Amino acid sequence: MKKANYARWQTPPMDILENILQRLNLSDHIRLSTVCKFWNSTVTRSDIHCSPQFPCLLYPQESPKYLKFYGLSEGKVLEIKLPKRCRGWFHSFRKGWLIMIREQGVDSKVFLLNPISKAQHQLPSLKTIASFEQSVNGEERTACAASAFLDYKIELSSSNISECIVAVFVGPYKELSLCRPGGKRWNTFQVTDYFKDEYPLDLLFSRGVFYALVTSTFSNKNGGVRPFILNFRDEDEDEPCAVELKLVYDNIEEPWSSLNRGHGDFLHRINLNGNHRAYLFESKTNNEILLIHHMMDTFESSVIEHQIIERRMHPSKYSRTSEFKVYKIDPYSGSFIRVHSLGDQTFFIASGSFLSLQTSDFIGLKGNRIYFQGQGLLEHCVPTTLSNDSGVFYLDGAYVGGYVERRWQSIDNFRGHAQSWFVPSLRYS
């Protein structure tokens, strides 16, 4: 009888399993997966419904052996050790997957990783991109060759690996490269005009179309859409796949005001709304394409060293979030319409990722807000910077333009390593 009861507990009915898993947060899921083989396989089963997990903020890596992140629902820092086969440096997060890089010079590896289930999928060798070896050979240091070559503007068409196409801008000329996870080669296309100073700002996949946000300082374009059809094919495929791409030219923002002040050997410059970062989002409520401008006040102090021949400037910079501007993009004309409410949505923004969530899917999450993790202090020529610009931006109608509430402690930001919001999932494999 005791053995029978023990066996029933080892394999409880499906409704009980779902009832248990729906009540667990991320740290509980991780602990449960280590109990035994049965529970490890249970928490990763796709046929068992689990409540959606709150986003976590992935901290800049100190070592390729582990990941640290802050769990919003737990309110504490969690750590995940990576087995040897999963080790690498975090690049960015898209569609439920971490993009990881294992630096090995011209033989560097890029792969997709689910940090919870440890599932991973290799991307084709970067050596199949002609400009990669040229880029590595031209670098004095090859320790971070792949990280420098791959732009942070990277996107996946789907979380389902069997349907997924990976898109990323690469190299000094910002070519667009496409591949399939597990494929043999990258397909590369020159879609921006390097000689007209067209520079990619972001990538988004929505309803069968890749959107690339582009800025163009030379032609001074402000809005507009340029469509492409890219014939993409892997070596094992007989027929090419037509991939639709739309270049969307960014909306130019003017700074509010600028102030310069000199004092002795110091020069101080303040620009209100003097800089912005741009992101593309897909609305979770109506599938519209949204443009987000993360507006920042910038403060720069320079020490002027008087020498006989030259004057050298050693700047120290600080950027502080001032507001977020949201625009709806017409996918055909590229015109921008200012939006003052996100409705039942919450956005999450950091250097290595962006997320949009429908608030009603999460208990305790409130809508019409943007959680952000900015850069903050940027010291000149130091390996570590202090990231202390973080918080929540409220798009409430009671405040004209919204308002910022700063939260969380400062983070040591190791130069070259991103911070990222991600939604933990045990389901991707």
Side-chain angles (χ1 to χ4, degrees), residues 195-251:
F195 298 100
K196 289 187 178 180
D197 201 19
E198 290 187 351
Y199 188 85
L201 300 174
D202 206 1
L203 267 172
L204 175 72
F205 185 84
S206 174
R207 291 179 292 174
V209 179
F210 279 104
Y211 293 86
L213 184 65
V214 175
T215 184
S216 177
T217 56
F218 181 81
S219 59
N220 201 32
K221 291 184 179 178
N222 189 9
V225 171
R226 187 150 60 103
F228 291 85
I229 298 295
L230 308 177
N231 290 316
F232 162 71
R233 185 179 68 178
D234 198 39
E235 287 185 2
D236 295 334
E237 298 175 336
D238 296 328
E239 297 294 330
C241 171
V243 176
E244 187 176 358
L245 169 73
K246 291 184 178 181
L247 293 189
V248 179
Y249 289 89
D250 191 23
N251 184 28

Side-chain angles (χ1 to χ4, degrees), residues 85-87 97-98 100-104 107-113 119-126 161 164 166 179-186 234:
R85 65 180 180 84
C86 297
R87 290 175 184 173
W97 295 94
L98 298 184
M100 304 290 291
I101 296 176
R102 190 175 296 124
E103 294 284 2
Q104 297 171 345
D107 297 314
S108 296
K109 310 294 184 185
V110 185
F111 57 97
L112 307 181
L113 174 69
Q120 66 171 287
H121 298 274
Q122 194 74 36
L123 300 186
S125 170
L126 292 175
I161 294 299
C164 180
V166 180
C179 78
R180 294 190 189 279
K184 295 183 178 180
R185 68 185 179 97
W186 292 84
D234 198 39

Side-chain angles (χ1 to χ4, degrees), residues 44-61:
T44 59
R45 285 176 56 174
S46 59
D47 58 331
I48 298 180
H49 175 72
C50 292
S51 57
Q53 294 291 322
F54 266 68
C56 296
L57 179 63
L58 184 63
Y59 286 173
Q61 270 180 284

Side-chain angles (χ1 to χ4, degrees), residues 163-337:
E163 303 172 354
C164 180
I165 296 176
V166 180
V168 62
F169 283 99
V170 300
Y173 297 106
K174 299 305 174 187
E175 303 163 299
L176 181 67
S177 289
L178 306 176
C179 78
R180 294 190 189 279
K184 295 183 178 180
R185 68 185 179 97
W186 292 84
N187 289 229
T188 303
F189 308 88
Q190 188 67 61
V191 295
T192 58
D193 193 333
Y194 173 79
F195 298 100
K196 289 187 178 180
D197 201 19
E198 290 187 351
Y199 188 85
L201 300 174
D202 206 1
L203 267 172
L204 175 72
F205 185 84
S206 174
R207 291 179 292 174
V209 179
F210 279 104
Y211 293 86
L213 184 65
V214 175
T215 184
S216 177
T217 56
F218 181 81
S219 59
N220 201 32
K221 291 184 179 178
N222 189 9
V225 171
R226 187 150 60 103
F228 291 85
I229 298 295
L230 308 177
N231 290 316
F232 162 71
R233 185 179 68 178
D234 198 39
E235 287 185 2
D236 295 334
E237 298 175 336
D238 296 328
E239 297 294 330
C241 171
V243 176
E244 187 176 358
L245 169 73
K246 291 184 178 181
L247 293 189
V248 179
Y249 289 89
D250 191 23
N251 184 28
I252 298 174
E253 299 278 3
E254 296 295 334
W256 284 350
S257 62
S258 179
L259 178 65
N260 295 315
R261 285 288 184 271
H263 180 73
D265 287 340
F266 292 88
L267 176 65
H268 306 287
R269 179 179 295 117
I270 301 173
N271 291 301
L272 300 181
N273 271 16
N275 190 19
H276 79 270
R277 292 188 181 89
Y279 304 88
L280 291 176
F281 279 80
E282 180 186 52
S283 171
K284 290 296 184 182
T285 55
N286 53 22
N287 299 122
E288 290 178 330
I289 306 301
L290 301 177
L291 169 65
I292 311 294
H293 277 180
H294 182 179
M295 306 301 300
M296 288 168 284
D297 301 330
T298 58
F299 308 85
E300 181 176 347
S301 297
S302 301
V303 179
I304 305 174
E305 295 183 1
H306 298 278
Q307 295 189 358
I308 297 175
I309 299 177
E310 63 179 3
R311 296 170 69 187
R312 295 184 299 175
M313 308 284 285
H314 298 277
S316 175
K317 295 182 180 179
Y318 177 77
S319 59
R320 181 188 67 186
T321 297
S322 55
E323 64 171 324
F324 286 84
K325 295 183 178 180
V326 184
Y327 301 91
K328 180 173 65 175
I329 301 176
D330 187 312
Y332 301 102
S333 68
S335 60
F336 300 94
I337 304 171

